């Protein structure tokens, strides 16, 4: 309980518990104050959602513009017709066994970016991931034009995985000669003070992997890209990263973050899982629209080795579970507010959590959600750090509000939006007199015109609360089809029948957002090591499997 000595540690659990307790107690004990609280909360929530819709729309538009620019240049330099281009891009997007020579021939014509100045080390943390999935992810990077001269792979494995050394060696041999350097690290499971997870694995891989790099490599030119084992990174992302760094006044104070996108196996998972990841993707894109560069990377992001060394690499304790957001916060506070996020408007295509069986898949996504929301530890970290650093007050307040919004809105909105008004209606206006717990003479809605009007306004505002979400989903549907068609060159994309997916949204929001975030906040009262469970990702690719099996013989 020593961690609770800091007042910042109490914020998350108190907010979560109060959001539950206030539902029945508010109308009974302090109905006037409760009614004004609901009005303020719903009004601010509606404003924030409209703001997020605008930012999401701008991010989606910039993303489509970047992709259109890429395709226009490709079309003007490539003699092949649209059919050949689509076939080539589709094979590359959907299979690691594409004809590499054809793709390289096309990409050698892409000269509208300057030749790369930086070297790129891709850190791929993994634990018990399918070999085929890892092979597929690395194959996509191997197909980039400058992979052999400017790319390094750091395959960050966990020593606790049975047979990790042989597995890493097989994958390393599979890509011999395709990268400037290929390094395999094994993160020990018994380092004192560490909390197991992606963050500690990345920290170990960054330090020991970079130490193993060739002495010929200029470390000031080295960019670390942390990515997941299922991330399909297009070359356009690396080109845009280079472009952003070349244009920056200080490239060594930047984190570069792309949107996330789920289109690799989205039609093989339950609608509730699909819809959850759609809203997750939309939230990340809206977050990247912050004009002051105070935005949180998610899943995949790039940072210079210079900045990583300046802040002491990644944290590895229990407060750093949400490694991507935490790394931005650490860089921001350790540099006295100089570090900023630059959005890279190129989507990184990820896989949805997928298992065999409907209920098993739902459970796997719930487990993933619980792990994600353990990042609520960043609330206390942010509040403590904001009090100890010399950062302009406005930026301090802004970063604290963004962190609180990211973690406290999921905890409160699910309960208040779904239950506050119906429960208050039931308590103050029970259907049967026997159920009455509030004297009508003490009911402010009946005795005061002001509160009667306020009650009607609150009920009216709740009707408008879903509208920004509907707008977000409409923008997303158009964007998803556009990315599938213009970047991924997929023949199959979302259809109008997929709109029925959103019927599951209320259940998905409660099961994969409200419940796990509430549990994560309450568990902060007794911090203990969580069991290290990775999200199960089903992957089947005969080409990748055959390649690995051939090496094993």
């Amino acid at each position: 309980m020593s961690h609770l000595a800091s007042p910042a540690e109490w914020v998350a659990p108190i907010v979560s518990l109060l959001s539950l307790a206030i539902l029945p107690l508010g109308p009974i004990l302090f109905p006037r104050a409760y009614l004004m609280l609901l009005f303020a909360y719903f009004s601010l929530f509606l404003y924030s959602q409209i703001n997020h819709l605008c930012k999401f729309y701008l991010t989606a538009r910039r993303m489509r513009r970047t992709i259109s620019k890429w395709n226009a240049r490709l079309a003007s330099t490539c003699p092949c017709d649209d059919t050949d281009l689509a076939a080539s891009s589709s094979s590359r997007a959907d299979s690691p066994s594409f004809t590499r020579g054809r793709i390289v021939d096309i990409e050698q014509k892409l000269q509208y970016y300057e030749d790369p100045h930086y070297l790129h080390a891709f850190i791929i943390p993994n634990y018990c991931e399918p070999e085929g999935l890892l092979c597929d992810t690395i194959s996509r990077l191997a197909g980039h034009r400058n992979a052999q001269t400017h790319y390094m792979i750091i395959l960050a494995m966990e020593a606790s995985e049975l047979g990790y050394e042989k597995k890493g060696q097989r994958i390393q041999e599979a890509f011999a000669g395709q990268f400037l350097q290929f390094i395999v690290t094994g993160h020990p499971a018994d380092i004192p003070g560490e909390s197991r997870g992606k963050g500690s694995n990345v920290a170990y891989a960054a330090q020991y992997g970079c130490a193993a790099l060739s002495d010929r490599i200029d470390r000031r030119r080295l960019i670390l890209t942390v990515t997941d084992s299922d991330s399909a990174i297009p070359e356009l992302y690396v080109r845009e990263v280079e472009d952003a760094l070349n244009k920056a006044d200080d490239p060594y104070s930047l984190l570069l973050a792309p949107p996330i996108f789920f289109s690799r196996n989205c039609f093989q998972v339950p609608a509730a899982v699909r819809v959850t990841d759609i809203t997750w993707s939309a939230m990340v894109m809206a977050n990247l629209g912050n004009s002051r560069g105070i935005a949180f990377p998610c899943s995949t992001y790039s940072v210079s080795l210079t900045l990583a060394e300046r802040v002491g690499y990644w944290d590895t304790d229990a407060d750093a579970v949400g490694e991507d957001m935490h790394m931005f916060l650490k860089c921001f506070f350790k540099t006295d507010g100089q570090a900023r996020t630059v959005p890279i408007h190129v989507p990184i295509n990820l896989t949805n959590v997928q298992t065999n069986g409907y209920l098993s898949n739902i459970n796997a996504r719930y487990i993933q959600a619980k792990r994600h929301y353990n990042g609520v530890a960043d609330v206390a970290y942010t509040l403590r750090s904001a009090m100890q650093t010399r950062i302009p007050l406005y930026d301090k307040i802004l970063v604290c509000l963004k962190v609180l919004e990211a973690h406290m809105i999921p905890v409160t909105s699910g309960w208040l939006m779904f239950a506050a008004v119906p429960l208050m209606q039931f308590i103050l206006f029970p259907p049967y007199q026997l159920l009455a717990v509030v004297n009508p003479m003490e009911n402010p809605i009946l005795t005061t015109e002001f509160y009667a009007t306020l009650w009607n306004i609150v009920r009216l505002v709740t009707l408008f609360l879903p509208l920004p979400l509907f707008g977000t989903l409409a923008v997303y549907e158009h964007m998803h089809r556009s990315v599938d068609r213009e970047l991924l060159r997929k023949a199959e994309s979302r259809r109008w029948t997929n709109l029925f997916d959103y019927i599951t949204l209320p259940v998905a929001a409660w099961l994969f957002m409200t419940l796990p975030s509430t549990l994560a906040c309450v568990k902060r009262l007794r911090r203990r090591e969580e069991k290290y469970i990775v999200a199960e990702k089903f992957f089947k690719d005969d080409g990748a499997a055959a390649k690995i099996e051939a090496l094993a013989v």
Side-chain angles (χ1 to χ4, degrees):
M1 299 292 287
S2 59
H3 68 285
L4 295 178
S6 170
E9 289 286 354
W10 287 93
V11 173
I14 285 178
V15 169
S16 62
L17 293 174
L18 283 180
S19 65
L20 287 171
I22 203 173
L23 289 173
L25 297 180
I28 298 173
L29 300 181
F30 42 91
R32 293 172 179 81
Y34 181 59
L35 194 55
M36 297 186 71
L37 174 66
L38 290 183
F39 172 74
Y41 180 89
F42 289 147
S43 298
L44 289 173
F45 183 83
L46 181 60
Y47 166 78
S48 69
Q49 295 308 298
I50 294 174
N51 185 37
H52 289 328
L53 169 58
C54 295
K55 290 180 178 178
F56 172 59
Y57 171 77
L58 292 174
T59 299
R61 189 176 69 172
R62 290 165 184 157
M63 192 166 64
R64 291 196 300 270
R65 185 185 303 159
T66 301
I67 295 171
S68 297
K69 173 185 168 185
W70 169 266
N71 287 333
R73 294 286 184 171
L74 182 62
S76 65
T77 56
C78 179
C80 59
D81 59 26
D82 291 342
T83 304
D84 292 337
L85 177 59
S88 298
S89 299
S90 176
S91 67
R92 178 179 181 173
D94 296 333
S95 172
S97 55
F98 53 82
T99 305
R100 190 179 176 201
R102 175 64 167 164
I103 297 300
V104 170
D105 180 64
I106 292 173
E107 292 184 341
Q108 284 176 344
K109 298 177 172 56
L110 302 177
Q111 299 294 336
Y112 71 100
Y113 289 95
E114 296 180 2
D115 289 336
H117 169 72
Y118 295 92
L119 302 172
H120 299 269
F122 295 87
I123 302 176
I124 308 175
N126 65 98
Y127 175 63
C128 297
E129 302 283 3
E131 290 189 27
L133 180 63
L134 292 169
C135 186
D136 175 80
T137 297
I138 299 171
S139 290
R140 297 169 191 273
L141 294 171
H144 294 189
R145 185 167 64 96
N146 299 301
Q148 290 182 323
T149 57
H150 289 76
Y151 287 11
M152 289 145 281
I153 300 296
I154 302 178
L155 190 61
M157 309 196 73
E158 290 284 355
S160 57
E161 178 181 347
L162 186 64
Y164 86 93
E165 291 177 314
K166 292 183 178 179
K167 178 180 176 181
Q169 183 179 4
R170 286 196 299 269
I171 297 175
Q172 186 180 42
E173 291 174 355
F175 296 97
Q178 298 186 39
F179 296 98
L180 181 61
Q181 200 165 349
F182 196 116
I183 298 168
V184 179
T185 62
H187 173 231
D190 55 353
I191 299 178
E194 277 198 355
S195 179
R196 298 190 64 197
K198 181 181 175 183
S200 56
N201 193 357
V202 168
Y204 184 87
Q207 295 181 68
Y208 288 87
C210 290
L213 292 175
S214 171
D215 294 335
R216 296 174 297 171
I217 292 175
D218 183 357
R219 296 172 72 87
R220 283 187 61 81
R221 292 171 54 205
L222 186 59
I223 304 300
L224 306 177
T225 295
V226 179
T227 189
D228 287 340
S229 61
D230 62 327
S231 297
I233 301 180
E235 182 171 2
L236 179 56
Y237 170 76
V238 182
R239 300 289 188 93
E240 289 289 312
V241 166
E242 287 266 349
D243 196 45
L245 291 171
N246 290 332
K247 292 178 180 177
D249 294 332
D250 182 10
Y252 303 112
S253 64
L254 300 182
L255 288 88
L256 304 107
I260 57 173
F261 189 71
F262 294 88
S263 185
R264 296 185 67 178
N265 64 330
C266 58
F267 298 114
Q268 284 77 54
V269 299
V273 174
R274 193 158 54 239
V275 165
T276 300
D277 290 331
I278 285 173
T279 55
W280 188 270
S281 175
M283 287 189 292
V284 171
M285 293 186 197
N287 147 75
L288 292 176
N290 185 273
S291 60
R292 295 183 63 85
I294 298 179
F296 308 130
C298 182
S299 176
T300 297
Y301 56 97
S302 300
V303 60
S304 66
L305 176 62
T306 300
L307 179 57
E309 290 179 332
R310 178 181 176 184
V311 302
Y313 291 94
W314 284 255
D315 283 340
T316 60
D317 58 14
D319 287 342
V321 175
E323 143 273 339
D324 36 23
M325 177 187 285
H326 189 85
M327 185 55 174
F328 167 78
L329 293 171
K330 182 178 183 180
C331 291
F332 180 78
F333 289 118
K334 292 289 186 180
T335 61
D336 290 331
Q338 295 178 19
R340 299 291 162 136
T341 296
V342 172
I344 302 298
H345 297 106
V346 179
I348 304 299
N349 199 9
L350 305 175
T351 59
N352 304 90
V353 173
Q354 182 181 359
T355 64
N356 291 318
Y358 182 89
L359 293 180
S360 175
N361 208 152
I362 294 293
N363 181 64
R365 184 60 183 86
Y366 174 71
I367 291 174
Q368 184 187 51
K370 287 201 302 181
R371 190 179 74 249
H372 285 167
Y373 282 111
N374 283 335
V376 72
D378 281 326
V379 170
Y381 174 82
T382 301
L383 296 177
R384 285 198 307 268
S385 300
M387 299 299 294
Q388 299 168 358
T389 52
R390 297 172 297 175
I391 296 175
L393 181 61
Y394 181 79
D395 286 342
K396 276 187 182 183
I397 294 174
L398 183 58
V399 75
C400 288
L401 288 177
K402 285 187 68 68
V403 171
L404 288 171
E405 179 187 29
H407 289 290
M408 297 299 97
I409 289 295
V411 172
T412 57
S413 62
W415 304 112
L416 294 177
M417 287 179 60
F418 286 105
V421 170
L423 193 56
M424 189 168 186
Q425 175 81 29
F426 178 82
I427 293 174
L428 296 183
F429 305 98
Y432 303 103
Q433 191 60 32
L434 291 175
L435 300 176
V437 293
V438 176
N439 189 323
M441 297 302 297
E442 298 177 358
N443 185 341
I445 299 175
L446 295 176
T447 59
T448 309
E449 183 178 355
F450 171 78
Y451 288 104
T453 303
L454 189 61
W455 169 243
N456 290 329
I457 293 175
V458 167
R459 292 194 297 175
L460 182 62
V461 170
T462 58
L463 297 178
F464 288 97
L465 291 180
L467 295 184
L469 176 60
F470 296 157
T472 298
L473 297 178
V475 174
Y476 178 88
E477 287 295 326
H478 176 69
M479 181 208 67
H480 189 110
R481 292 170 174 81
S482 176
V483 172
D484 272 349
R485 180 178 62 253
E486 298 177 17
L487 180 66
L488 304 180
R489 306 286 176 179
K490 293 183 65 175
E492 180 186 18
S493 186
R494 289 180 62 82
R495 303 175 181 174
W496 70 268
T497 52
N498 292 118
L499 296 178
F500 290 105
D501 292 349
Y502 298 118
I503 296 175
T504 66
L505 190 55
V507 174
W510 186 84
L511 183 60
F512 300 133
M513 183 183 75
T514 304
L515 182 59
S517 61
T518 301
L519 292 176
C521 287
V522 174
K523 284 191 296 185
R524 295 298 299 170
L525 291 173
R526 57 182 193 96
R527 184 167 57 179
R528 67 176 185 178
E529 182 76 13
E530 294 284 336
K531 187 178 180 181
Y532 190 24
I533 302 176
V534 297
E536 186 172 352
K537 297 182 179 73
F538 182 80
F539 182 82
K540 181 179 181 181
D541 187 281
D542 295 336
K547 192 173 186 179
I548 292 292
E549 288 175 4
L551 289 167
V553 175

